[in-house]
Amino acid sequence: MKFENITKTVSTVDSFLASRLRGEPRELYSAASYLIEHGGKRLRPYMVIKSCQIVGGNKKQAMAAAAAVEMVHNFTLVHDDIMDNDEMRHGVPTVHMRFGMPVGILAGDLLFSRAFETISNPYFGKTASIGLNLVSTLAKACTDVCEGQTLDINMAKSSKIPSEDQYIKMIEKKTSSLFVASCAMGAISADKNDADVKRLSTFGRNLGIAFQIIDDLIGVTGDPKITKKPVGNDIREGKKSLPILMAIKKASKQERRIILKAFGNHTASKTEVQKAVSTIAALGIESAIKHKALQHSNVAKKSISTYNGTAKNELLSLLDFVVERSL
Amino acid sequence: MKFENITKTVSTVDSFLASRLRGEPRELYSAASYLIEHGGKRLRPYMVIKSCQIVGGNKKQAMAAAAAVEMVHNFTLVHDDIMDNDEMRHGVPTVHMRFGMPVGILAGDLLFSRAFETISNPYFGKTASIGLNLVSTLAKACTDVCEGQTLDINMAKSSKIPSEDQYIKMIEKKTSSLFVASCAMGAISADKNDADVKRLSTFGRNLGIAFQIIDDLIGVTGDPKITKKPVGNDIREGKKSLPILMAIKKASKQERRIILKAFGNHTASKTEVQKAVSTIAALGIESAIKHKALQHSNVAKKSISTYNGTAKNELLSLLDFVVERSL
């Protein structure tokens, strides 16, 4: 799986996106397109397009949905950064740092409304029934993301370590739901219903879970040169992600003490964090997470086994990339 | 125009709204329904219903749109309060004060997504074409609100006093657009198009402008007993609203000095603010604003002159109430 493949496929989405984010006051539209212009892998629009093609549709049919999904994804990033008070993303200041908090909130809201304007616009060649199905699918996903975010906030605030099930439920809502919507909206854009939408939703859900847990693994054991974050960043931040949950569950009393000494401890020394990372590594968490990601990857693979053709192979390559990536 | 009339009409909307805002995590749904439960005049859902009835539709047909518009209205209030860092609304703490800023942002986002879920839900008895038209109308209004909010922020930051035209353009986007959408969505819900939607949009736009400029007048000259805010609150806050713009334009050098001494000056004494209020009153601004509101009210009246029946009379009463109210 090469990034160039995605880049090439989504270049028309990027132009379309830019055309949908022009307007006045300029400051608002600059803030709304700022993150999109400064990076992002465009996984979701790519998945919309490939899910449309796999059921016999074409890229043009998928365009409105692809752009809408990317706008919604960026809307969640902009608001997330405000909630977490994060200062940097994609190597540049976050939207609220660059444009101020009020315009940051409004830029997120604008991305949201423009997404729904785009998929409900009859000029983009869809029937009313397709359009309404896209709206309903995307709106449901946005609700899921809000619910997942709240679960995440509650999990972070709680003094308890969540169970693996609670954690998976949270990332299904917070992360997977937009991957589910991407795949479903691809099939809907090609005027497919029910069976195809269901198959592709299963693909998106499992790819999404695999994506998030590998992301979590990188946050704990990732190479600082690649992640551009300090070693064991998520340990120091106290992020209750799957590697940590698994490690704490599996650890001996002594190992747990080492991990918890660095966990959520912003004054922990580099050595203490490094020791926690080594302890987690020695517990075999890396291979346990990779095994779990592979399980979801296999469910995803199976869900599209009835299809053939280029788009199928591209979705399978994307799946491999997601599981095998180091960033 | 009596409030009871609105209250009676919208009681079914309130039950429907409550049913659309149930879910887990409970904290998120409580935060999203919090403001709705603690007040609000329900002008917008009332206008959706009456605009549906005036063109021959019924209340049931208008229900989804009425609920969606109220959710979007509350979404804008929740996010506004965060942007302005306001602590109280409807006599209770604002959502972010009560539930924290992150859940406040998410509650606003949830109201947004639930609004679009509601109007795109085929179970609420609309054709796909009506549903998509509702979505497109509401999404456009949300974009307008974001643009209007940004214009308002820019106006507040600027050292210049805006022109009357700039001000009207701002409130058309920020306030009127959701009234326009309410009336348009009422007609669309009754499966009416073009001519009816256009007439009712004109009604909503002009009612909205009249509503906002009367609101601004109350903010400057309103009776503290009724507004529950200090005398001349908007003067002290430095709000560049229409009464101020008109007064500054009309004032002599000496009068302008008195007004500007209190304007945006949080350390101004009560006497200084009172002097500014009296100066504005002596300039005849109250009657000038009321005259302007009446002009818009007349345009609104004319726009629905071709209709007959109870709903028409109720919309006309609403218009009179908006222009004549003291709160």
Side-chain angles (χ1 to χ4, degrees), chain A residues 27 29 113 117 143 147 154, chain B residues 27 29 113 117 143 147 154:
Chain A
E27 190 191 6
Y29 284 87
S113 64
E117 275 192 85
T143 295
E147 292 177 357
N154 290 346
Chain B
E27 191 192 4
Y29 283 87
S113 64
E117 275 191 85
T143 295
E147 292 177 359
N154 289 347

Side-chain angles (χ1 to χ4, degrees), chain A residues 111-171:
Chain A
L111 284 162
F112 203 140
S113 64
R114 294 298 283 165
F116 285 94
E117 275 192 85
T118 301
I119 48 177
S120 63
N121 191 327
Y123 293 105
F124 300 139
K126 303 170 311 291
T127 65
S129 150
I130 291 178
L132 202 65
N133 205 347
L134 291 176
V135 169
S136 143
T137 305
L138 188 59
K140 172 74 173 64
C142 293
T143 295
D144 283 341
V145 172
C146 293
E147 292 177 357
Q149 283 277 12
T150 311
L151 290 173
D152 195 18
I153 291 171
N154 290 346
M155 222 171 248
K157 275 195 300 199
S158 163
S159 59
K160 287 184 193 155
I161 299 287
S163 72
E164 207 179 302
D165 276 358
Q166 286 173 315
Y167 180 78
I168 296 289
K169 192 185 156 197
M170 184 274 285
I171 63 168

Side-chain angles (χ1 to χ4, degrees), chain A residues 1 6 8 31 34 65 67 70 91 100-101 113 120 128 141 144 154 164 169 175 188 191 214 241-242 252 266 312 314:
Chain A
M1 183 67 205
I6 298 188
K8 208 180 145 199
Y34 178 77
E70 188 64 17
M101 185 271 280
S113 64
S120 63
D144 283 341
N154 290 346
E164 207 179 302
K169 192 185 156 197
T175 309
I188 293 166
D191 207 4
I214 293 293
S241 66
L242 193 57
S252 68
H266 287 265
K312 177 189 179 175
E314 288 168 321

Side-chain angles (χ1 to χ4, degrees), chain A residues 116-324:
Chain A
F116 285 94
E117 275 192 85
T118 301
I119 48 177
S120 63
N121 191 327
Y123 293 105
F124 300 139
K126 303 170 311 291
T127 65
S129 150
I130 291 178
L132 202 65
N133 205 347
L134 291 176
V135 169
S136 143
T137 305
L138 188 59
K140 172 74 173 64
C142 293
T143 295
D144 283 341
V145 172
C146 293
E147 292 177 357
Q149 283 277 12
T150 311
L151 290 173
D152 195 18
I153 291 171
N154 290 346
M155 222 171 248
K157 275 195 300 199
S158 163
S159 59
K160 287 184 193 155
I161 299 287
S163 72
E164 207 179 302
D165 276 358
Q166 286 173 315
Y167 180 78
I168 296 289
K169 192 185 156 197
M170 184 274 285
I171 63 168
E172 267 201 70
K173 292 252 174 194
K174 186 181 161 174
T175 309
S176 266
S177 51
L178 209 49
F179 286 108
V180 173
S182 301
C183 294
M185 289 168 79
I188 293 166
S189 297
D191 207 4
K192 297 287 172 173
N193 270 303
D194 300 340
D196 287 304
V197 171
K198 205 176 160 193
R199 277 193 280 266
L200 284 155
S201 296
T202 305
F203 180 85
R205 179 173 308 108
N206 284 282
L207 181 141
I209 297 172
F211 176 85
Q212 186 60 54
I213 64 182
I214 293 293
D215 217 55
D216 287 347
L217 183 65
I218 295 166
V220 172
T221 62
D223 182 345
K225 279 183 208 142
I226 304 177
T227 64
K228 288 175 190 156
K229 287 180 180 173
V231 172
N233 186 59
D234 284 358
I235 298 178
R236 196 190 293 267
E237 296 290 325
K239 204 176 152 195
K240 289 168 189 156
S241 66
L242 193 57
I244 307 281
L245 310 188
M246 281 181 154
I248 288 178
K249 199 175 163 193
K250 216 174 164 184
S252 68
K253 261 192 179 173
Q254 156 113 35
E255 289 162 337
R256 194 173 299 145
R257 207 174 302 130
I258 296 171
I259 298 168
L260 292 179
K261 196 168 183 184
F263 186 67
N265 177 5
H266 287 265
T267 61
S269 71
K270 217 172 163 179
T271 320
E272 283 168 334
V273 176
Q274 186 59 63
K275 253 180 130 177
V277 174
S278 315
T279 306
I280 292 171
L283 284 163
I285 298 304
E286 187 154 352
S287 66
I289 295 273
K290 286 199 169 165
H291 177 70
K292 209 168 169 63
L294 263 177
Q295 283 179 318
H296 285 286
S297 166
N298 286 335
V299 177
K301 261 179 202 159
K302 214 180 143 193
S303 72
I304 58 167
S305 61
T306 48
Y307 302 106
N308 287 305
T310 315
K312 177 189 179 175
N313 294 332
E314 288 168 321
L315 282 176
L316 293 176
S317 298
L318 177 67
L319 200 54
D320 288 341
F321 161 71
V322 160
V323 176
E324 285 156 21

Side-chain angles (χ1 to χ4, degrees), chain A residues 9-33:
Chain A
T9 302
V10 301
S11 66
T12 43
V13 180
D14 280 355
S15 325
F16 182 63
L17 266 172
S19 75
R20 300 296 299 152
L21 291 171
R22 261 182 226 132
E24 299 279 347
R26 271 176 73 179
E27 190 191 6
L28 174 67
Y29 284 87
S30 301
S33 41

Side-chain angles (χ1 to χ4, degrees), chain A residues 39-108:
Chain A
K41 294 190 273 292
R42 307 285 192 269
L43 291 182
R44 294 160 193 80
Y46 182 79
M47 287 169 76
V48 175
I49 292 168
K50 294 301 153 191
S51 299
C52 182
Q53 289 174 334
I54 203 175
V55 296
N58 62 47
K59 198 166 149 180
K60 205 180 154 200
Q61 289 173 303
M63 199 51 64
V69 162
E70 188 64 17
M71 285 193 254
V72 165
H73 171 54
N74 277 274
F75 138 72
T76 67
L77 298 181
V78 175
H79 282 189
D80 265 22
D81 286 339
I82 297 173
M83 291 183 242
D84 298 342
N85 206 12
D86 281 337
E87 295 182 3
M88 299 290 286
R89 181 180 291 274
H90 301 333
V92 292
T94 48
V95 175
H96 67 283
M97 293 301 288
R98 171 79 178 71
F99 296 89
M101 185 271 280
V103 174
I105 291 184
L106 289 169

